[in-house]
């Protein structure tokens, strides 16, 4: 479903060229749960932005369902994001002046859907994340964990086949973070393709594959679900990378 072919992404910084991503080749099959980990500056979020069509590679290509993103116009990319990809960010990114329900509905509103087309879905998703009773509250009236659950519901309102999560538990306490991980796993069980960026090795271990990045390159890929390798060994490798 997702393919990166010899992808580079460079930025100009202080009159120097910085290679955030260098020659990445990666294929993610439909319905897989993949975690991307690595130290700060390893290129994790850049890779996620490229997959999510929020950014374009300097070289190489990104394909979604065989469709080259480099050949899409800005309008086509915007529509693709709206219909195909759900985003969950560390910073929640809720609109402060509208209610939880209105925040969940926002992607449908931006795609000019009629209220009758999404009203029931908004209520269903708020119920799914345990916040139906707080549908009319503003983001500032919700806890951090509740705001992230609203953001999660918003990511699913268009029923996208792909869900991208960038450090979704980074601003949450352990209990609230576990609730988000449970929602990610439930979304995966429902058939979605999940790509999770995280620095938390225990969280990454919940995925089917762990892609290890360093200096913009994939160093190796591990599979926690394989019974011939102990989880502790995989986490040990990750801890060493992080250092």
């Amino acid at each position: 479903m997702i393919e990166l072919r010899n992808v580079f992404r460079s930025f100009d910084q202080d009159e120097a060229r910085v290679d955030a991503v260098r020659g990445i080749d990666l294929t993610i099959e439909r319905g897989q749960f993949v975690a991307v980990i690595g130290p700060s500056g390893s290129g994790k979020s850049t890779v996620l932005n490229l997959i999510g069509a929020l950014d374009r590679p300097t070289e190489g290509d990104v394909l979604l369902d065989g469709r080259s993103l480099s050949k899409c116009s800005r309008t086509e990319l915007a529509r693709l994001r709206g219909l195909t990809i759900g985003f969950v960010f560390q910073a929640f990114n809720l609109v402060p002046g509208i209610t939880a329900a209105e925040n969940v509905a926002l992607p449908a509103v931006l795609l000019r859907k009629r209220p009758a087309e999404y009203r029931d879905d908004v209520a269903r998703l708020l119920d799914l994340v345990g916040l139906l009773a707080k549908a009319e509250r503003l983001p500032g009236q919700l806890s951090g964990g509740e705001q992230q659950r609203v953001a999660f519901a918003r990511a699913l309102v268009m029923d996208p086949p792909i869900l991208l999560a960038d450090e979704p538990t980074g601003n949450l306490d352990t209990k609230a973070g576990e609730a988000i991980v449970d929602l990610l796993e439930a979304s995966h069980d429902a058939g979605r393709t999940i790509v999770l960026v995280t620095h938390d090795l225990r969280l990454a271990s919940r995925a089917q594959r762990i892609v290890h990045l360093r200096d913009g390159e994939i160093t190796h890929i591990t599979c926690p679900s394989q019974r011939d390798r102990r989880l502790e060994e995989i986490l040990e490798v990750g801890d060493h990378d992080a250092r």
Side-chain angles (χ1 to χ4, degrees):
M1 175 162 243
I2 300 167
E3 187 176 1
L4 281 71
R5 295 179 178 175
N6 196 31
V7 168
F8 289 76
R9 181 63 174 104
S10 302
F11 300 93
D12 292 326
Q13 185 176 16
D14 298 328
E15 299 184 358
R17 176 178 164 126
V18 177
D19 295 321
V21 171
R22 302 190 294 177
I24 283 185
D25 290 295
L26 177 65
T27 298
I28 298 173
E29 301 292 342
R30 184 181 304 276
Q32 281 192 331
F33 186 171
V34 175
V36 181
I37 69 170
S40 179
S42 61
K44 303 186 299 296
S45 293
T46 301
V47 167
L48 203 70
N49 288 339
L50 291 167
I51 292 173
L54 294 172
D55 194 11
R56 293 181 185 262
T58 308
E59 298 178 39
D61 203 2
V62 179
L63 294 89
L64 296 185
D65 254 350
R67 183 179 184 182
S68 170
L69 299 188
S70 65
K71 296 178 181 178
C72 295
S73 67
R74 289 186 178 183
T75 301
E76 289 172 329
L77 288 177
R79 185 163 182 81
L80 182 72
R81 286 192 297 269
L83 294 174
T84 307
I85 304 168
F87 296 90
V88 184
F89 300 100
Q90 179 178 352
F92 316 145
N93 292 342
L94 300 180
V95 180
I98 62 177
T99 67
E102 289 168 333
N103 267 284
V104 173
L106 196 55
V109 172
L110 293 174
L111 286 170
R112 299 184 180 181
K113 300 291 183 180
R114 291 172 296 155
E117 295 180 86
Y118 59 77
R119 188 181 294 113
D120 290 346
D121 289 331
V122 169
R124 175 180 56 82
L125 288 167
L126 282 171
D127 189 38
L128 174 70
V129 301
L131 290 173
L132 185 57
K134 298 183 178 181
E136 298 308 312
R137 295 195 182 182
L138 298 175
Q141 297 171 314
L142 302 173
S143 69
E146 289 171 337
Q147 289 185 59
Q148 188 61 296
R149 281 185 279 156
V150 170
F152 195 95
R154 179 185 60 191
L156 297 182
V157 73
M158 296 306 299
D159 194 22
I162 299 172
L163 185 62
L164 306 181
D166 192 356
E167 299 282 9
T169 64
N171 288 334
L172 306 179
D173 59 32
T174 301
K175 183 177 179 180
E178 282 295 322
I180 295 300
V181 175
D182 289 343
L183 288 170
L184 280 172
E185 289 189 327
S187 190
H188 174 241
D189 291 341
R192 289 187 179 86
T193 303
I194 311 292
V195 184
L196 164 71
V197 162
T198 182
H199 67 278
D200 185 337
L201 295 172
R202 294 288 167 183
L203 172 55
S205 71
R206 308 275 283 269
Q208 294 170 309
R209 296 166 67 206
I210 303 176
V211 178
H212 300 253
L213 288 185
R214 176 177 287 278
D215 297 329
E217 299 178 325
I218 296 175
T219 58
H220 56 290
I221 297 175
T222 52
C223 301
S225 60
Q226 291 178 344
R227 298 306 179 192
D228 58 342
R229 296 192 62 181
R230 294 183 302 112
L231 174 59
E232 290 79 5
E233 292 174 348
I234 293 169
L235 295 180
E236 233 175 70
V237 172
D239 284 335
H240 178 74
D241 281 351
R243 291 195 294 270

